């Protein structure tokens, strides 16, 4: 019993350390980019057009579907998770 708790805690600490390092690296990567004020200005001036682009790129998975098998697998997985998240777990949907 105690061994199981110790092993679980060690694995949890290792996972948190690996995830923390990855988040730190992603944060540095995001801050390393150059500012794009013209992109933000365009989005503020044309919110409907930007929403349409986001809808086709993100929800439509347009670029991924250019890759045949991997793109289709990602598309199905993405929409599977969307359906699971939006599913009513009380059995009403």
């Amino acid at each position: 019993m105690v061994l199981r708790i110790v092993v679980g805690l060690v694995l949890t600490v290792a996972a948190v350390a690996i995830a923390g390092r990855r988040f730190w690296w992603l944060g540095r990567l995001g801050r390393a980019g150059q500012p794009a004020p013209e992109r933000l200005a365009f989005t503020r001036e044309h919110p409907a057009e930007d929403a349409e682009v986001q809808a086709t790129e993100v929800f439509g998975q347009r670029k991924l579907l250019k890759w045949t098998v991997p793109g289709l697998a990602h598309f199905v997985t993405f929409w599977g998770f969307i359906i699971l998240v939006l599913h009513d777990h009380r059995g009403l949907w």
Side-chain angles (χ1 to χ4, degrees):
M1 179 74 169
V2 174
L3 178 63
R4 179 180 273 177
I5 292 173
V6 170
V7 170
L9 286 174
V10 167
L11 291 175
T12 301
V13 167
V16 168
I18 292 168
R21 184 172 179 191
R22 181 67 174 176
F23 283 129
W24 174 77
W25 181 83
L26 288 172
R28 282 189 51 218
L29 180 67
R31 288 188 299 274
Q34 297 295 320
E38 66 280 352
R39 187 175 65 102
L40 294 175
F42 178 82
T43 300
R44 287 188 182 112
E45 292 170 8
H46 306 94
E49 188 175 335
D50 187 61
E52 180 182 341
V53 169
Q54 290 298 320
T56 58
E57 292 289 331
V58 177
F59 293 117
Q61 303 281 301
R62 187 170 66 177
K63 288 185 180 179
L64 282 174
L65 288 175
K66 290 180 182 176
W67 309 341
T68 53
V69 176
L72 185 62
H74 187 280
F75 178 84
V76 170
T77 304
F78 173 78
W79 278 103
F81 278 113
I82 293 294
I83 290 169
L84 285 173
V85 165
L86 297 177
H87 178 68
D88 184 1
H89 295 286
R90 294 174 293 179
L92 300 175
W93 185 59

